[in-house]
Amino acid sequence: MSRLVYINGQLVEHEKATIHVYDHGFLYGDGVFEGLRIYAGKVFKLREHLLRLFESAAHICLGIPLSLEELTHAVEHTAAANKRDDGYIRLIVTRGVGNLGLDPSSCSKPQVIIIVDGLSLYPKEMYEKGMEIVTASTIRNHPNALNPRIKSLNYLNNILAKLEAIRAGVPEALMLNHLGEIAECTADNIFLVSKGVLQTPHKNAGILEGITRATVLDLAREQRISIEETVLTRHDLYTAQECFLTGSGAEIIPVTKCDNRLIGSGIPGPVTLKLIQAFFKLVRS
Ligand code: PMP
């Protein structure tokens, strides 16, 4: 299957899709991105992802050279050109080429890149039986240092935690914030079910405000499941009946073990299964 990459308005074969080594996205991680899904030929929650991209860019004073409408068209056009019914889209805006100093004012042309590809993050079995995670010693970025609400090209904070997970022999790590509260995992938001209430850290807990998180909250409201966006600690996790993670890449994945402790009865619980079912009904509809 040919893979066409959009670079500043041009579609090029992926082997020929290159960026300049003086691009500040490459030199400093100076840029923003989004990860989106294509389901049944349609880009899922495109507007929500683009609005978050514009917010991330606004925070770092990066002017995206396309309007919301133009970017919508560019993403849809690139998705269609790649002829994928199901797939993953990586939309990147870098600061562009500048000199070797940090000052972004030497970068006159932000680069807009759209990659379309397949994605399968975790084995099918984990979606059915649940995944194991560990708490990382690396805390999530302090919001006054690099706010996790910016989806920036600098993911080292999360990569350090991911390395801890891999070294512990599990696929994902739980990250706490600077207050020791539960924030999120390295690329996913986290949900707990406790005494029938669906709980998730509030948006200022040092998390990326996930599009899948918002979708799951909407589905829970439709299903009349009580919701709490609140402060959560590891006590809440260790005593919860259910836990799952959400993300555009991971979708919804049950967590049945954390720090070598079973969560609930150690199998995906009824609220998790109900939300997974509702999610797949929505994305396939
Ligand atoms: N947190 C982090 C750190 C992420 O990188 C992501 C995206 N993979 C998420 C949460 C989930 O966000 P979304 O549902 O918008 O993909």
Side-chain angles (χ1 to χ4, degrees):
M1 188 182 283
S2 88
R3 275 177 284 169
L4 296 169
V5 177
Y6 172 105
I7 303 189
N8 302 318
Q10 305 290 323
L11 285 179
V12 290
E13 274 298 337
H14 77 282
E15 297 95 340
K16 295 189 180 133
T18 54
I19 62 151
H20 198 291
V21 291
Y22 276 48
D23 190 308
H24 280 209
F26 172 69
L27 287 175
Y28 300 119
D30 187 355
V32 293
F33 78 100
E34 282 295 320
L36 308 90
R37 289 297 280 243
I38 307 170
Y39 290 114
K42 199 166 173 293
V43 184
F44 185 62
K45 302 273 179 189
L46 176 54
R47 186 177 166 79
E48 287 81 349
H49 279 280
L50 294 184
L51 291 176
R52 186 172 67 183
L53 183 82
F54 275 93
E55 275 191 13
S56 295
H59 192 133
I60 66 163
C61 304
L62 169 61
I64 296 181
L66 299 177
S67 67
L68 185 62
E69 289 67 33
E70 287 166 335
L71 205 47
T72 303
H73 178 74
V75 172
E76 284 175 341
H77 173 65
T78 310
N82 279 279
K83 300 189 178 72
R84 272 187 183 271
D85 271 351
D86 285 280
Y88 179 80
I89 301 173
R90 174 62 55 93
L91 165 60
I92 304 156
V93 184
T94 74
R95 188 75 70 177
V97 176
N99 61 32
L100 289 178
L102 283 182
D103 184 358
S105 62
S106 70
C107 310
S108 55
K109 192 170 181 273
Q111 305 286 298
V112 180
I113 297 153
I114 306 168
I115 302 167
V116 178
D117 212 328
L119 181 79
S120 115
L121 276 190
Y122 302 117
K124 195 167 172 273
E125 204 194 338
M126 281 188 196
Y127 286 88
E128 288 158 4
K129 295 196 174 141
M131 161 197 270
E132 181 174 355
I133 62 174
V134 289
T135 306
S137 65
T138 307
I139 62 161
R140 194 70 176 95
N141 279 329
H142 192 299
N144 290 340
L146 178 60
N147 197 315
R149 289 185 69 183
I150 309 167
K151 198 163 168 61
S152 87
L153 291 182
N154 192 323
Y155 253 54
L156 266 183
N157 178 221
N158 311 57
I159 291 167
L160 288 174
K162 183 84 169 180
L163 280 174
E164 290 188 51
I166 303 304
R167 279 161 194 243
V170 300
E172 237 315 4
L174 172 68
M175 300 184 79
L176 308 178
N177 66 18
H178 63 288
L179 299 169
E181 301 159 357
I182 290 178
E184 58 180 343
C185 289
T186 68
D188 315 298
N189 293 115
I190 187 164
F191 283 82
L192 306 180
V193 179
S194 182
K195 301 182 188 83
V197 179
L198 183 68
Q199 301 175 314
T200 195
H202 58 90
K203 68 178 181 187
N204 290 318
I207 65 167
L208 180 76
E209 214 183 332
I211 309 296
T212 321
R213 173 185 179 278
T215 306
V216 164
L217 288 172
D218 284 345
L219 291 172
R221 279 183 206 104
E222 277 169 26
Q223 309 256 344
R224 305 200 181 287
I225 299 168
S226 311
I227 296 165
E228 262 178 22
E229 290 175 71
T230 185
V231 172
L232 295 172
T233 65
R234 273 191 291 172
H235 174 83
D236 300 305
L237 172 59
Y238 294 158
T239 58
Q241 285 81 57
E242 299 180 36
C243 175
F244 63 85
L245 311 182
T246 64
S248 300
E251 302 175 307
I252 304 179
I253 185 156
V255 172
T256 46
K257 219 174 186 191
C258 179
D259 299 335
N260 245 327
R261 297 157 178 256
L262 287 186
I263 309 294
S265 50
I267 54 166
V271 177
T272 307
L273 295 176
K274 202 170 171 181
L275 288 167
I276 290 177
Q277 210 182 21
F279 182 79
F280 282 105
K281 195 169 161 211
L282 173 73
V283 301
R284 304 270 169 232
S285 67

